[in-house]
Amino acid sequence: MKRIALFMYYLFAQNLPSSFIPGGRLFNSIRVGTLRLVFPLGKKCKIQRKVYFGSGREVSVGNNCQINENVSLVNVKIGNFVMIAPGVTILGRMHNHENKNVPMVLQGQKETKQGIIENDVWIGTNAIIMPSVKISEGCIIAAGAVVTKDCESYGVYAGVPAKRIKSR
């Protein structure tokens, strides 16, 4: 059943119009309903068009979350009241690259811990969150930031690599 639901999501539901247009609440309900058959998804979530989800066992989303267009989520647990702007990528895996005598593409992937996005987090447009990173409660991640390390609660992070620039 999960495979069929995921197939229906990628074939049909992810391509429905945004929830911002007239009738958009219906399109969001179809997307969310289809995704709930695959993985844990909280109440009152808005999932916009063209969001890529890793397999169901490695992605979960809390209540009252907003996930915008062209977002990629892999191996991440998302808390409640999280806003993810368009174009955000949350990576869940890394390639092995230690053996110089074997092409990297043939070395497989490293096992990584699940990334964690805690409650009340805002991730700006086109930010990249590297695997195994924890973004603590109340953080803001600036547009275009590349987060390579865990973030402390209520910090505002920006840059490449992202650094704490102030507190909320």
Side-chain angles (χ1 to χ4, degrees):
M1 183 65 178
K2 286 185 177 187
R3 287 184 184 201
I4 293 169
L6 201 56
F7 179 75
M8 291 305 296
Y9 172 76
Y10 285 116
L11 181 68
F12 172 70
Q14 79 157 350
N15 297 308
L16 292 171
S18 167
S19 68
F20 302 115
I21 67 163
R25 294 176 93 189
L26 172 64
F27 302 133
N28 184 66
S29 294
I30 293 169
R31 269 191 292 277
V32 168
T34 305
L35 289 169
R36 278 199 178 114
L37 298 172
V38 182
F39 65 92
L41 182 61
K43 297 175 183 172
K44 296 184 181 178
C45 289
K46 285 188 180 177
I47 309 291
Q48 301 302 338
R49 305 179 75 237
K50 306 282 185 183
V51 175
Y52 171 78
F53 293 86
S55 67
R57 71 183 192 293
E58 61 182 27
V59 175
S60 66
V61 179
N63 298 318
N64 298 290
C65 291
Q66 300 175 23
I67 302 174
N68 282 289
E69 293 87 358
N70 300 312
V71 168
S72 178
L73 305 171
V74 179
N75 198 21
V76 63
K77 180 179 180 181
I78 298 172
N80 301 316
F81 300 100
V82 172
M83 299 182 294
I84 301 177
V88 169
T89 300
I90 300 177
L91 298 170
R93 295 180 189 88
M94 294 292 287
H95 289 281
N96 287 319
H97 55 82
E98 287 75 23
N99 189 340
K100 295 177 189 171
N101 298 319
V102 176
M104 290 179 279
V105 73
L106 299 177
Q107 292 187 42
Q109 296 180 345
K110 290 182 182 181
E111 291 295 318
T112 58
K113 293 188 316 185
Q114 186 176 43
I116 298 173
I117 312 296
E118 290 188 343
N119 299 334
D120 190 27
V121 169
W122 176 15
I123 302 175
T125 301
N126 294 323
I128 299 171
I129 314 299
M130 297 303 288
S132 306
V133 168
K134 178 181 178 183
I135 298 178
S136 295
E137 183 171 1
C139 281
I140 297 173
I141 307 300
V146 177
V147 182
T148 60
K149 296 179 180 172
D150 292 354
C151 299
E152 298 173 15
S153 297
Y154 298 98
V156 178
Y157 290 81
V160 179
K163 291 183 174 43
R164 187 179 181 128
I165 58 171
K166 65 180 185 176
S167 295
R168 279 185 52 205

